[in-house]
Every structure is written in C-alpha cells, then in structure tokens.
Amino acid sequence: MRVLLVEDSVALADELLPLLARSGYAVDWVVDGRDASVRASDENYDVAVLDLGLPGRNGLEVLRDWRSAGLPLAVLVLTARDSFADRIAGLRAGADDYLAKPFHPDELLLRLQALLRRRHGQTNAPRLVVGALALDEERQFVERDGTVVALSGAEFRLLRCFMLHPDRVLSRGQLEEHLYDGETERDSNVLEVLVNRLRRKLGREVIETRRGQGYCFTGGT
Ligand code: CA
C-alpha cells in the first residue's frame, strides 16, 4: 500500500522511512506543504502521514486542499503533544486519526494498519481476514484454516493489497499503483510471477484472472 509521508523533521523521517518500508509500505516522502498538496493529487496514495507544522503550507491547509479536491486517501495527522486544539482542528479538516508526538514507531504502524482496515470495511481487528485467510501484518505471514503460510516481503505486500480489496477486479495498473513508490520501475511480469506464487501457496482459486481486466481476489470462497 502506498504511503505519503509529509514531515519536515529529517530525523523523524529517517526513523520512519526504513520502518515503513520493512512493514511493506511503498513510501514517498515530502517536506514542504505546497509539494504535499500537489503530490497527493498526482499519485494514488492509500494513506498519508501528515505533520501539521510544515514549511510552505501548514498541514491543516494541506489537508483542506486534499479534501476539497475530493481525494479519498486516509489521513493520519501528527500533532504536538497534548494539543487539544490541533486534534480538533485536524479532525474537523478531515483527518481520520491523529497521533501525538513523540510517539513510539510501533504505534504509528498499528494505527496505519487499523486505519487501512477501517477504510476498506474491515472492522474485525486485530487481523485482516478474508474467507479462510487471516493476515498477520506484524509478522508478515498468513494463516489458512489455522495453518501458518510463510510469505516473502513482495508476496506479503501483494496479498495485503488483495485482502483490502476482496471480490473486486483490480487491473495490473491499479495493483502496481498500490504496490510501488514513485521511484520504482513497474514491471508487469513481476506481478504475474507473484500472483502465481500466491496461488501455489494458497490455492489456485484464491485469485481469479479476468482476461483483459486484471485479477479478482476471492480468498477461495
Ligand atoms: Ca514539523
């Protein structure tokens, strides 16, 4: 899933970028609020982590820009510790959740997972569940009928994307938009190889090929 990190603290970004990458997110980082406003309209992000105090344009204004442009991305706002006013203003401007600085990076990850699950109509926390499959996002494996199936990092990223969009036809382009950051070259052969590997591990029936349209993840149900 694609994350836009908008944060002007280089130290915090240095801490978060590798952590988010290890957790299977494709992350783009911007520092300036004006860039953030434009960037989110140009690319198809699933979620933004948005600091409020930014150069160029403050985070609340950026959030209002995104919402008035009708952008559907989920937004987690980073606020100053105990700033009640910031939290209220953020929620009013269309934030989905907030986190007060300083925070433990694990809390950010858990909130992102929960936010994405909620966005995609999954409320049965703590795991992402489709049919007989339950995805463990922290340890990056999937359970099928109680049996643990190990996943590579790339398989995990694709399966998470499928499980957040069950029973929907996703074109290759849509899948690639969710899987790769702005820097990574997209190669549809890689996608096909990964789909086949997931089928071998989980059963052919979990992912249907729709000729000329893309793939539909059914979870085997
Ligand atoms: Ca800041």
Side-chain angles (χ1 to χ4, degrees):
M1 305 301 280
R2 292 199 60 186
V3 178
L4 180 62
L5 174 64
V6 188
E7 171 59 66
D8 61 324
S9 158
V10 175
L12 184 55
D14 276 348
E15 184 183 9
L16 295 182
L17 289 168
L19 176 81
L20 289 165
R22 274 201 306 280
S23 307
Y25 296 103
V27 192
D28 293 320
W29 171 38
V30 295
V31 167
D32 185 283
R34 286 164 301 201
D35 294 342
S37 272
V38 176
R39 191 66 184 261
S41 333
D42 288 349
E43 303 266 351
N44 206 343
Y45 292 103
D46 298 289
V47 59
V49 176
L50 176 65
D51 186 30
L52 292 184
L54 294 168
R57 191 159 174 74
N58 81 48
L60 278 179
E61 291 172 322
V62 171
L63 180 53
R64 290 192 194 106
D65 292 344
W66 291 346
R67 291 313 186 212
S68 63
L71 299 184
L73 79 174
V75 179
L76 174 70
V77 160
L78 302 179
T79 68
R81 189 177 183 79
D82 298 329
S83 173
F84 176 73
D86 274 1
R87 294 204 296 269
I88 296 293
L91 293 169
R92 282 214 173 109
D96 298 277
D97 199 2
Y98 62 84
L99 191 54
K101 289 180 176 183
F103 52 85
H104 193 286
D106 286 348
E107 185 176 1
L108 177 76
L109 287 180
L110 289 170
R111 287 196 186 235
L112 283 182
Q113 288 162 11
L115 193 51
L116 284 166
R117 285 197 296 260
R118 282 207 301 279
R119 272 268 151 161
H120 291 274
Q122 283 244 355
T123 47
N124 47 351
R127 283 183 173 189
L128 186 52
V129 177
V130 177
L133 300 176
L135 190 70
D136 188 312
E137 294 183 75
E138 266 125 291
R139 285 173 290 177
Q140 302 192 2
F141 64 74
V142 65
E143 269 184 26
R144 174 161 206 172
D145 296 322
T147 305
V148 170
V149 180
L151 299 168
S152 71
E155 290 163 0
F156 166 75
R157 290 194 292 276
L158 178 60
L159 183 59
R160 175 165 61 189
C161 183
F162 272 134
M163 289 179 72
L164 286 169
H165 304 92
D167 298 313
R168 270 185 48 194
V169 176
L170 296 169
S171 69
R172 284 156 187 269
Q174 283 172 322
L175 283 165
E176 284 162 0
E177 272 175 9
H178 287 296
L179 291 172
Y180 302 121
D181 62 36
E183 308 287 301
T184 306
E185 202 166 322
R186 297 167 189 192
D187 177 349
S188 60
N189 290 329
V190 171
L191 187 62
E192 200 171 318
V193 168
L194 285 173
V195 165
N196 284 325
R197 278 204 230 141
L198 286 177
R199 282 174 171 154
R200 273 203 293 282
K201 289 187 171 184
L202 303 172
R204 279 210 76 73
E205 68 284 3
V206 298
I207 304 165
E208 294 173 2
T209 298
R210 300 286 175 86
R211 203 168 282 275
Q213 294 173 290
Y215 298 105
C216 181
F217 183 82
T218 66
T221 50

